[in-house]
Amino acid sequence: MSYYLQATFSRGELDPELVTRPDLELFRAALAECENFITLKRGGFRRRGGTRYVGEVRDSGAGAWLMPFEFGSGQNYMLEAGNHYFRVYTSVGRVVSVEVSTPYSLSVLPDLKFVQSTDTLFVTGGGIRPHAIKRYGETSWAIEPMDFHDGPYLEVNISSTSLTPAGKGNPVPTMTSNTAPSGVVTSSGALADAYRVFNGDPDKVILSTGGIGWVAYQFPVNVVIDGYMLQAPSDNGKNDDMPAQWAIDASSDGNTWSVLDTQDAEADWASSEWRSYSFPNKTAYNFYRFRFNKGGGSTSDDAAIAQLVFHQAASDQTPFDLTASNTGGINGGDGFGSSDVGRHIRLRGSDGFWRWAKIDSVSSSTVVKVRLYGQSLIDTFAMGIWRLGSWSDRTGWPGAVGWHKNRLAFASTATEPQTVWESQTDDFTNFAVSQPLVASNAVSVGILSGQVNRINWLNDDDDLLAGTSKAVRAIGRATSQDPFGPENVDQKPETNFGANGIQPIKVGSVLLYFGRYGTDMRELAYDLQADGRVSQSVSETQSHLFRTGITGACYQQYPDSIIWPWDRQGKAIGFTYEREQQVFGMHRHGFGGVVECMAVIPGDGFDEVWMIVRRVIGGQTKRYIEVMQKPFVGGLIEDAWHLDCALRYDHTPVNTVSGLDHLEGMDVILYADGSDYEGTVSGGTVSLPNGRTASKILIGLDVTARAKTLPPPVNAQDGASVGRKMTVDEAKISVFETGVLRVGAETTHVDAQIFYRAGDTYGEPASLRTGVVEADVDLRWEDGGQLVFEASGGKPCTVLAVNYNLSMEP
């Protein structure tokens, strides 16, 4: 006879194929089974918390999905997203007045990816245009399609097709006098030829014989102007007549003016040079004025310009025709179609500058109506250099989204599955690039590989990590000396172990993701010897838990650092993960139903795991939103919460509790003032037996937690113990704050080990036990020395270590 001590269970449940591998170092820290117990970072195992019933999804027959929304300052929400709607919950329940329509059908919800910035959740996926869910207040929510600016775009057209515009985006006609063909041109010197500023001719127009003056245009109707271009005279290099400082003013009556834009130190103009300027404006005015000083160079004489071209805000424009010479280069030669509505087009004008337009409607395969953004065209010549937008109903919408260096990044459309697009810095919907390029411009990069591997997810790190079906690749700076941007970008492979579509989880500096088929979990971490990131499996020794394939996962950082995947059969897996302490413990969890979704938001002192559980209640299928409760760690025994789908009554003593319609017809446990009673819910109510009363009553479904030790890895005198018959007569079990524990064998029975002791108050529950419990167990020789631990009902249970005497056949 010998004693065997197991002082840690931090490796959790071991794959059954490894039960005869006592040579493995992890064997002495593992279990043969671990269900509804959580393995702790410090070595023991504890009953998981039960779940609190929050509410039923809108349509129990269809289902729903969960989307966390962390607004900050303790204002955290969980969104119930169902078939074309979402509803809002807080920790105390549903915000009843909020239900918002969405474009998302139930089938695409698991494929959605989302990231958050303060009060906005950016959502993409499902083949649908990216949307933004916005919180305006506790009861004011909305979802809006994201309105992108200037791109992104496909490659430049290389076909013979040219595009000819019927408009220029400039609301000022080509003027032939100060009053013709329409509108009125005025100037500070009442010049008869001031109209030449607007006649499309690059010749010099002297607006003042000094350095100060103005020229204005009065529209026949109010117009919204949000940009303008200036051209220097062709001889400006000789006399430097261009103003260096000016303002753009606007007025509704010609008397009271508002300043829309100012510029200073605009010197060193080259002959015939164009410069463009934009400003935010949504107000329509009748008068617009270019008011300048510091004109005429150093002598401040003969201040002059060549042209002033206004841009009418696109939302204020009447869409005009853009006609293609043929269908070549447009949608594979098919030409324009109805799915191109809303698509961007980038156009290079005759002045060499790029503008962009948005398709308002489609007239034919070669004609679309557009609105022009940014700046006006200077003419209506045909343009052979153009680019179609990357995103549309025709080409597809991004399937992944993430953050990277203060940019919003998207990836993976139907036509460009390996491309990543990053917005301008701190301007999350702007995908424009300037002339010349600057580091803050938008970035577009294609993942280079020998195969077409769709990007399944993006994750922010120093580099942007992109998970594809065959590899994980990193997008970052090509050279470390310069900032990341369109001229300093590179992509490289990190590992050739691919990933599925489940969003990965970042724990410290380590990224945990799921393999291509969802049957393994891998960590991507920096390795000093390899001088780079290395991917290795963290589920190999618990591979049996992943065989059916993982469909989703979330991370509960506090209190126990647990990753919560769930599989295709609706079973949840807890993974206690603390890499620095070599804690990799997995445990199974059954919630009395099918887990369809889990998500995490911060709670009161711990991270709350929310879930949607499909249950059969009274013969009917119900889908409930429930929140896992904090495991019991200290406090009063009656405060423990280890029942599922439960609600708590906490008030004056009563015998009967109502409001339990969600458990109608179910056998339940009434955990009343720290003691367990059985009951059946009828008419939404349940009563304590024999007229008993209690002031704190938790009513819910019973949960049995179960753990089983591995065969003891001890050696016989003549060799290894594998296959030898063993038996245990006595076990010394170290417990902590435990109110219930049964110990025994698989083939015989398990016996309760927590009893009333001398000094316990009559009529009160037995005191929680902390210390060593001596258990007499009845094992057969065929049991192989494996002990079974069970706990059910409402009381807590934590096991820290087991020391048992072991007898083994010779």
Side-chain angles (χ1 to χ4, degrees), residues 221-523:
V221 295
N222 287 354
V223 173
V224 181
I225 298 296
D226 64 359
Y228 59 102
M229 296 190 300
L230 282 176
Q231 186 184 30
S234 58
D235 66 346
N236 193 63
K238 297 178 180 179
N239 56 28
D240 193 24
D241 290 333
M242 282 295 293
Q245 184 183 78
W246 66 80
I248 297 294
D249 304 326
S251 174
S252 296
D253 57 11
N255 296 312
T256 303
W257 297 85
S258 300
V259 177
L260 300 182
D261 185 54
T262 61
Q263 299 294 331
D264 193 9
E266 289 290 311
D268 301 322
W269 289 79
S271 293
S272 302
E273 179 184 354
W274 283 98
R275 295 184 188 179
S276 59
Y277 309 89
S278 299
F279 50 84
N281 177 40
K282 295 183 179 180
T283 303
Y285 295 98
N286 195 200
F287 299 82
Y288 288 88
R289 181 174 69 183
F290 174 69
R291 176 172 49 89
F292 62 87
N293 53 34
K294 294 185 181 180
S298 59
T299 58
S300 297
D301 64 340
D302 291 343
I305 66 174
Q307 295 190 69
L308 171 61
V309 177
F310 285 122
H311 176 262
Q312 184 176 7
S315 60
D316 197 49
Q317 292 175 20
T318 298
F320 57 86
D321 284 347
L322 185 68
T323 302
S325 59
N326 55 70
T327 60
I330 303 173
N331 294 325
D334 293 338
F336 294 112
S338 58
S339 58
D340 289 314
V341 172
R343 193 174 184 181
H344 295 187
I345 305 179
R346 202 163 195 242
L347 306 165
R348 188 175 181 182
S350 59
D351 56 1
F353 293 108
W354 289 93
R355 282 83 166 174
W356 69 284
K358 187 183 293 184
I359 297 176
D360 191 78
S361 62
V362 177
S363 304
S364 71
S365 62
T366 57
V367 181
V368 293
K369 288 190 178 295
V370 300
R371 297 175 187 265
L372 190 67
Y373 290 76
Q375 295 295 343
S376 297
L377 293 163
I378 62 171
D379 54 48
T380 55
F381 297 161
M383 293 168 285
I385 302 176
W386 48 270
R387 306 174 69 178
L388 283 175
S390 290
W391 305 345
S392 68
D393 289 339
R394 174 72 179 232
T395 55
W397 297 97
V401 63
W403 293 114
H404 184 223
K405 297 187 180 298
N406 296 324
R407 303 168 185 262
L408 189 60
F410 292 92
S412 188
T413 63
T415 55
E416 296 179 277
Q418 297 184 180
T419 301
V420 176
W421 302 272
E422 299 191 34
S423 72
Q424 289 193 355
T425 304
D426 295 319
D427 194 352
F428 305 143
T429 59
N430 192 337
F431 288 83
V433 292
S434 62
Q435 293 175 298
L437 291 172
V438 295
S440 61
N441 281 171
V443 174
S444 176
V445 58
I447 297 298
L448 304 178
S449 66
Q451 298 173 309
V452 177
N453 297 322
R454 177 176 298 278
I455 297 172
N456 292 319
W457 48 255
L458 299 173
N459 193 271
D460 188 22
D461 205 337
D462 182 48
D463 295 329
L464 179 66
L465 299 178
T468 77
S469 57
K470 292 291 183 67
V472 176
R473 303 182 77 91
I475 299 167
R477 293 182 294 178
T479 62
S480 59
Q481 294 81 9
D482 299 314
F484 177 80
E487 293 187 299
N488 186 34
V489 59
D490 189 23
Q491 59 86 31
K492 60 183 179 180
E494 291 293 329
T495 172
N496 61 356
F497 290 100
N500 70 358
I502 299 174
Q503 192 66 24
I505 293 169
K506 190 77 174 290
V507 181
S509 61
V510 179
L511 189 74
L512 291 135
Y513 69 96
F514 297 90
R516 180 177 184 179
Y517 302 104
T519 54
D520 65 323
M521 180 162 57
R522 309 190 67 85
E523 64 175 13

Side-chain angles (χ1 to χ4, degrees), residues 515-587:
R516 180 177 184 179
Y517 302 104
T519 54
D520 65 323
M521 180 162 57
R522 309 190 67 85
E523 64 175 13
L524 190 66
Y526 181 81
D527 182 80
L528 188 62
Q529 290 183 334
D531 191 23
R533 297 181 180 91
V534 175
S535 175
Q536 64 179 9
S537 174
V538 292
S539 61
E540 187 63 31
T541 57
Q542 292 97 5
S543 61
H544 65 298
L545 299 178
F546 292 78
R547 284 174 187 156
T548 60
I550 301 301
T551 58
C554 59
Y555 176 50
Q556 182 188 30
Q557 186 173 14
Y558 296 101
D560 294 308
S561 186
I562 299 176
I563 298 164
W564 291 98
W566 65 96
D567 66 15
R568 294 189 179 98
Q569 295 180 344
K571 298 176 182 177
I573 303 165
F575 178 32
T576 308
Y577 180 79
E578 189 73 47
R579 190 172 192 265
E580 290 75 11
Q581 304 299 323
Q582 294 297 298
V583 175
F584 307 93
M586 294 195 184
H587 24 96

